[in-house]
Amino acid sequence: MSLLSRKTIVIGGGALLLFFLPLVAKLTGQPYLLSLGSRILIYALAAVSLDLLLGYSGMISLGHAAFVGIGAYVVGISQFHSYEATPFLSAPFLLSGSENGLFVLPLAILVAAFAALIIGALCLRTTGMHFIMITLAFAQMLYYFFISLEKYGGDDGLSLYARNSFPGIDLSDDRHFYYLCLTALGLFLLFTCRLVTSRFGLIIRGAGNNDRRLKGLGIRSTSYKLVTFVIAGGGAGLAGALLANQTEYVSPGLMHWTLSGELMVMVLLGGLGTLFGPVLGAAAFLLLEEGLAMYTEHWMVYMGPVLILAVVFAKRGLFGLLAGGNSRDD
Amino acid sequence: MLLVIEQLLNGLQLGITLFLMSAGLTLVFGIMQVINLAHGSFYMIGAYVGATVAAKTGSFLLAIPAALGAAALVGAVVEIVILRHLYKREHLDQVLATFGLIMFFNELTLMIWGRQPLFMDVPGPLAQSIEILPGLPYPVYRLAVIGVGLFVALALWLLFAKTRAGMKIRAGASNRDMIGALGVNINLLYTLVFSLGALLAGLAGVMAGPVLAVQSGMGESILILTFVVIVIGGIGSIRGAVAGALLVGLVDTLGRAFLPVLLRLVLESSAADSLAASLASMAIYILMAAILVWKPRGLFPAHA
Amino acid sequence: MTDAILTVTTLCKSFGAVQATNDLSFTVRRNDIHALIGPNGAGKTTVVNQLSGDMLPDSGTILFNGVNISRKKAYQRARLGIGRSFQITHIFENLTVAENMSLAICAHSGHNFRFLQHFRRSPPVLRELAKALARVDLLPRAELPASHLSHGEKRQLEVGMAMVGNPELLILDEPMAGMGPGGTAELSKLIRRLKGTLTILLIEHDMDVVFSLADRVTVLVYGENMATGTPDEIRRNTKVRAAYLGEES
């Protein structure tokens, strides 16, 4: 019981901190905290979605950034066409550009999820090391694909003219944008927490733990894994769409495999299979990056060994340290 | 026609580089069951050390052994200090730890050599072209690279097919329990195999030096192509590495050279060019997806 | 033979030059505890794998309730009513006991694309979990991670999971392997309690266990059926004594 309450305290404290961060930023006169906060929330969203794959269903995807990139490009391309007043598609149906967030954000989720459906269906023909390499290869394929898309800036990417419009709120106001990100992360966490304790979640946790045994029970896990892959892809797509809005810029670099690797690092640092851990991991990673970058431009030369040590010695991650005991699930 | 032959040779050259990378890596995957993302770092180290020695001494002949030695040494150290502790761990741990290694090595080369890419001169006698067919001049250096690659492939084949040590390694790659049964010092064998893989990657790196810019992060683009090769060929199979490397080298090179020409036959030229550019950059991944649908474990799966 | 639940006829399986299952035929009667015994290397596990569908025979037929299942996949056989426990314990170590059991329950309750309701509140789990745990005496251990269970308790869990969905035939592959005397007695008690409610095919080394539990025994030597009969008949069979029991006693 005391463990449970400790976990609740950590989560509740974190939520309060995130909720009042804009106030802190205003009082301390550090508006820069807001944009850092938004970045943390967005990366956290992507990391939570990756945790569904790594921590629960045992799918080690090294290509998760592809879906972040797709989500971002949906925002970028959609706005490009809206600005140019040219349709994106004229056949088989008319699809014109838009900069309305209520339309573009769901579209980003759907497109990323659809891409995850196709890539996942191919990747799930394999397991183990093959799966890792193939997810990486597909992400790289998309990376090169977007580099070759001269129309949308190719290697240089696309600059947004402004953030998406949203009825009732003004996303160009950093505070409004921050709360949009916080809401998105909160809703996604709520959804994933329900998901992993549902019957569906039980199956994917079983698949992540011992896939052969699951087959012995008469359950073929492939379709469950594929749906998980699609959900995770959709979550990453949402993160990408928010990221595009935050930086007002999209580029193939978002799909680069180093971003996939960094998302993985966030999940591990925070705590594998904990959902809330990756939020902590994203915060720790980005703060560490900012902090180290202040002292040396070569911060990665320290981050690398830190990561290796974390892998070898601290498997439970930060969330495990803070929340203690059996923080995995509830 | 001459253009086709020239591009075939270019494809062969890329294939050879990929073979050098994937031969070592596929053995590491097959025997130690460890996924090593840092293999590209050995390639980069080979290129950097080779370029530095060549610049300091002016001798390409000194650069090669220096690059091979450095890559093999770093490989052995990495195996002993880090990877050895990860053999029994999950793939995820291996991925993350070797990702940490990449961060470390990439940044370390930036600290030592700076952000400016190094350029390596093609060694003197090889710096010219010869006419391999009437009307088709081809750089001697590229021919030499192909020659070295074929020589290494032959040497590896002899090592694995004809020597006791090689047979043990091969047995280990297709059936891990065999190694213990054969009474081999596993730790030593693992270090040697890993180091050999690193050495081959270093060789690929130093040979790529005069063709490409030597810069931090150069290992990763070749690493991902290497993964494609291994997925296509089948993990742990040298034969698969040969087939996969040649296939990927040829498809990538020929796709880039001829897709625009082919598409212009059916499409107007601007649409053809942009489509061809997209298709060519994705060709090998499409190839990989197709082979996966057909044979999920690769063309020559070692663990049948 | 109207009461036969499983009829194996001229089953053959070879691995290269090794004939692991050699023209094997035997019949299991409904609601019996039928033991399959044999010296090490007799090919018992190969037979089990062919019955459960983890391996396909080279030739021969397996009739289950009159249906030829010899070419069916493992999950199809599971749905037809064959439950199996493994020689090496095979549970989800990272999940709790209740989650392990719930997985087995969900496996028998249609599709599992239910995303929001907690699995503990889903109708089949509500209906069966407590009963299934109680059946193998694991109710008090329900919230422990399975990795914290003792060896014997893991076996109990595994048997319990194999019994979910009320299989008509339960295959227990060396359930006593690696257990101390206390665990063996506990599990024997459990198996005896199940007697009569379903058919059990018991693969076992421990002769005391076999002779105290089984209604009928098949002796497997070099992949062949050397003898089938009641424990008494098997004890008296001179061929069996020479080939097998002689070594034991």
Side-chain angles (χ1 to χ4, degrees):
Chain A
M1 228 29 224
S2 67
L3 284 181
L4 191 74
S5 66
R6 194 164 144 196
K7 183 180 165 184
T8 320
I9 290 169
V10 172
I11 294 170
L16 277 179
L17 184 69
L18 288 174
F19 187 78
F20 286 112
L21 186 74
L23 195 67
V24 175
K26 195 171 175 188
L27 290 178
T28 56
Q30 300 268 359
Y32 149 86
L33 274 181
L34 261 187
S35 68
L36 178 65
S38 304
R39 254 181 76 211
I40 288 176
L41 293 174
I42 294 168
Y43 277 93
L45 177 58
V48 172
S49 71
L50 183 60
D51 193 22
L52 283 178
L53 303 182
L54 302 183
Y56 289 92
S57 51
M59 288 184 272
I60 304 172
S61 164
L62 197 42
H64 207 54
F67 307 113
V68 176
I70 288 173
Y73 264 99
V74 168
V75 172
I77 292 175
S78 197
Q79 196 179 72
F80 174 83
H81 284 287
S82 158
Y83 189 78
E84 303 256 296
T86 51
F88 173 72
L89 263 185
S90 40
F93 53 89
L94 183 79
L95 185 63
S96 48
S98 165
E99 43 79 54
N100 184 345
L102 271 188
F103 170 73
V104 171
L105 292 188
L107 185 69
I109 298 174
L110 281 179
V111 173
F114 183 70
L117 179 68
I118 297 191
I119 292 179
L122 282 167
C123 293
L124 278 169
R125 293 179 58 80
T126 67
T127 53
M129 270 194 259
H130 279 99
F131 186 84
I132 300 174
M133 290 192 263
I134 286 161
T135 48
L136 173 60
F138 275 118
Q140 208 64 11
M141 169 174 114
L142 285 171
Y143 172 71
Y144 286 120
F145 173 73
F146 278 96
I147 281 186
S148 71
L149 277 185
E150 290 298 332
K151 185 173 183 187
Y152 302 120
D155 210 355
D156 299 327
L158 273 176
S159 283
L160 269 59
Y161 300 99
R163 286 179 181 167
N164 285 141
S165 65
F166 229 99
I169 54 175
D170 174 18
L171 291 193
S172 62
D173 180 335
D174 274 342
R175 240 172 349 136
H176 287 195
F177 183 71
Y178 177 88
Y179 281 114
L180 176 69
C181 296
L182 188 58
T183 311
L185 176 64
L187 287 176
F188 192 68
L189 273 173
L190 204 63
F191 169 65
T192 48
C193 280
R194 295 291 292 266
L195 184 72
V196 297
T197 55
S198 69
R199 270 177 73 174
F200 176 84
L202 188 62
I203 304 282
I204 63 165
R205 279 151 62 206
N209 190 221
N210 189 343
D211 210 1
R212 262 192 62 206
R213 179 69 183 102
L214 205 58
K215 211 172 275 170
L217 283 175
I219 299 175
R220 280 177 305 164
S221 59
T222 312
S223 45
Y224 296 93
K225 283 183 172 171
L226 183 58
V227 171
T228 313
F229 200 82
V230 169
I231 293 172
L238 177 59
L242 291 172
L243 198 59
N245 272 295
Q246 205 236 341
T247 55
E248 301 184 36
Y249 171 65
V250 296
S251 77
L254 284 176
M255 302 185 176
H256 199 259
W257 76 297
T258 46
L259 179 61
S260 297
E262 282 168 11
L263 290 175
M264 249 181 178
V265 173
M266 292 174 191
V267 175
L268 179 99
L269 273 185
L272 206 57
T274 58
L275 292 181
F276 291 99
V279 180
L280 213 54
F285 185 90
L286 292 176
L287 291 174
L288 206 58
E289 180 183 331
E290 295 271 325
L292 286 175
M294 262 193 271
Y295 296 104
T296 164
E297 63 168 322
H298 299 297
W299 61 275
M300 279 213 282
V301 96
Y302 302 102
M303 192 69 190
V306 166
L307 177 58
I308 296 169
L309 289 176
V311 169
V312 177
F313 295 111
K315 278 242 69 176
R316 290 189 309 154
L318 288 171
F319 192 68
L321 285 179
L322 288 177
N326 183 24
S327 58
R328 214 191 139 101
D329 306 320
D330 45 327
Chain B
M1 191 57 211
L2 288 179
L3 186 64
V4 175
I5 293 177
E6 187 185 351
Q7 293 299 339
L8 276 176
L9 282 171
N10 287 344
L12 191 61
Q13 192 215 329
L14 176 60
I16 293 277
T17 304
L18 288 175
F19 168 71
L20 291 178
M21 289 293 292
S22 50
L25 195 56
T26 202
L27 283 178
V28 170
F29 286 165
I31 297 179
M32 286 90 132
Q33 301 279 305
V34 65
I35 182 146
N36 175 24
L37 299 184
H39 199 66
S41 297
F42 305 136
Y43 172 87
M44 178 177 72
I45 288 168
Y48 264 110
V49 170
T52 309
V53 170
K56 286 261 152 67
T57 65
S59 161
F60 194 69
L61 282 181
L62 279 178
I64 290 181
L68 296 190
L73 182 69
V74 174
V77 171
V78 162
E79 198 274 343
I80 291 169
V81 176
I82 296 167
L83 276 187
R84 180 172 289 179
H85 306 286
L86 296 170
Y87 291 150
K88 293 246 147 62
R89 302 282 285 267
E90 291 166 25
H91 286 328
L92 180 60
D93 293 352
Q94 300 162 354
V95 167
L96 284 159
T98 50
F99 184 72
L101 275 176
I102 292 181
M103 284 173 133
F104 176 74
F105 281 123
N106 280 350
E107 207 59 40
L108 194 67
T109 51
L110 281 182
M111 288 169 77
I112 297 175
W113 283 283
R115 287 193 187 278
Q116 279 300 324
L118 303 184
F119 291 96
M120 216 172 153
D121 290 327
V122 176
L126 303 177
Q128 8 172 326
S129 295
I130 54 164
E131 213 166 46
I132 48 174
L133 280 174
L136 177 62
Y138 199 76
V140 177
Y141 181 74
R142 287 173 176 254
L143 288 177
V145 169
I146 294 174
V148 170
L150 292 178
F151 172 75
V152 170
L154 187 71
L156 279 181
W157 178 74
L158 283 175
L159 173 68
F160 288 119
K162 302 290 177 194
T163 68
R164 282 182 65 85
M167 281 184 218
K168 282 175 185 166
I169 294 174
R170 219 163 34 132
S174 52
N175 183 349
R176 209 143 71 109
D177 301 331
M178 281 287 285
I179 293 193
L182 288 169
V184 183
N185 179 343
I186 293 186
N187 281 344
L188 184 64
L189 183 78
Y190 280 9
T191 310
L192 285 179
V193 170
F194 197 85
S195 186
L196 174 68
L199 179 138
L200 293 176
L203 175 63
V206 70
M207 290 201 309
V211 184
L212 302 170
V214 177
Q215 55 189 333
S216 174
M218 68 186 289
E220 279 72 75
S221 42
I222 192 93
L223 176 79
I224 291 164
L225 288 182
T226 305
F227 279 178
V228 173
V229 166
I230 291 176
V231 166
I232 288 178
I235 289 178
S237 156
I238 295 275
R239 235 174 0 141
V242 174
L246 291 180
L247 212 52
V248 169
L250 289 174
V251 167
D252 192 56
T253 311
L254 297 182
R256 281 174 209 284
F258 298 115
L259 265 177
V261 187
L262 287 177
L263 284 175
R264 253 180 246 155
L265 296 177
V266 288
L267 288 169
E268 49 154 336
S269 70
S270 73
D273 284 352
S274 70
L275 183 62
S278 304
L279 277 181
S281 63
M282 300 199 303
I284 56 165
Y285 302 102
I286 296 169
L287 172 75
M288 179 189 73
I291 287 180
L292 266 182
V293 170
W294 173 44
K295 283 193 157 181
R297 303 173 61 85
L299 294 175
F300 300 98
H303 304 260
Chain C
M1 290 297 269
T2 48
D3 59 347
I5 184 166
L6 185 75
T7 311
V8 174
T9 320
T10 59
L11 199 67
C12 290
K13 176 85 187 172
S14 58
F15 302 102
V18 183
Q19 190 76 35
T21 308
N22 194 0
D23 222 7
L24 176 71
S25 303
F26 68 95
T27 301
V28 177
R29 298 187 308 200
R30 193 178 302 279
N31 290 346
D32 266 8
I33 294 182
H34 190 117
L36 190 62
I37 64 172
N40 273 328
K44 296 181 298 257
T45 297
T46 310
V47 173
V48 171
N49 282 335
Q50 291 174 81
L51 295 179
S52 67
D54 290 287
M55 238 179 234
L56 292 181
D58 294 337
S59 65
T61 56
I62 304 166
L63 290 183
F64 176 68
N65 277 332
V67 180
N68 186 355
I69 58 164
S70 55
R71 295 280 131 199
K72 291 208 190 303
K73 298 215 166 75
Y75 73 94
Q76 293 170 314
R77 299 188 197 195
R79 284 188 194 155
L80 283 172
I82 299 182
R84 168 192 187 168
S85 82
F86 290 78
Q87 190 172 3
I88 301 161
T89 356
H90 223 52
I91 53 178
F92 302 93
E93 300 270 345
N94 293 349
L95 305 186
T96 67
V97 173
E99 286 170 339
N100 267 279
M101 196 62 93
S102 302
L103 255 178
I105 293 169
C106 290
H108 288 277
S109 322
H111 75 84
N112 290 289
F113 290 100
R114 287 160 220 252
F115 299 99
L116 293 177
Q117 184 185 50
H118 198 291
F119 74 89
R120 293 293 276 269
R121 282 189 284 277
S122 73
V125 173
L126 277 179
R127 201 164 52 233
E128 290 175 47
L129 179 61
K131 209 168 56 191
L133 286 172
R135 191 157 51 195
V136 286
D137 304 323
L138 284 175
L139 211 43
R141 316 291 266 170
E143 303 311 324
L144 276 184
S147 53
H148 288 23
L149 294 181
S150 73
H151 189 75
E153 288 170 327
K154 285 182 187 175
R155 287 275 167 193
Q156 281 165 256
L157 176 57
E158 172 145 22
V159 172
M161 286 167 71
M163 287 194 53
V164 168
N166 303 317
E168 291 180 63
L169 173 66
L170 182 61
I171 304 174
L172 302 178
D173 192 357
E174 307 215 0
M176 311 297 177
M179 278 217 279
T184 305
E186 190 79 7
L187 201 54
S188 296
K189 217 170 72 193
L190 176 65
I191 294 174
R192 199 167 289 125
R193 208 162 66 203
L194 301 175
K195 194 166 179 165
T197 59
L198 76 171
T199 314
I200 295 177
L201 182 64
L202 178 68
I203 289 80
E204 189 47 61
H205 255 322
D206 188 329
M207 285 307 125
D208 294 336
V209 171
V210 167
F211 287 127
S212 73
L213 287 175
D215 299 301
R216 300 207 320 144
V217 178
T218 294
V219 183
L220 197 67
V221 177
Y222 295 119
E224 292 180 61
N225 181 352
M226 175 174 269
T228 296
T230 65
D232 277 342
E233 287 166 359
I234 295 298
R235 257 198 216 107
R236 285 196 302 269
N237 187 314
T238 46
K239 248 166 61 187
V240 174
R241 292 179 75 109
Y244 183 32
L245 295 178
E247 301 169 7
E248 288 276 314
S249 58

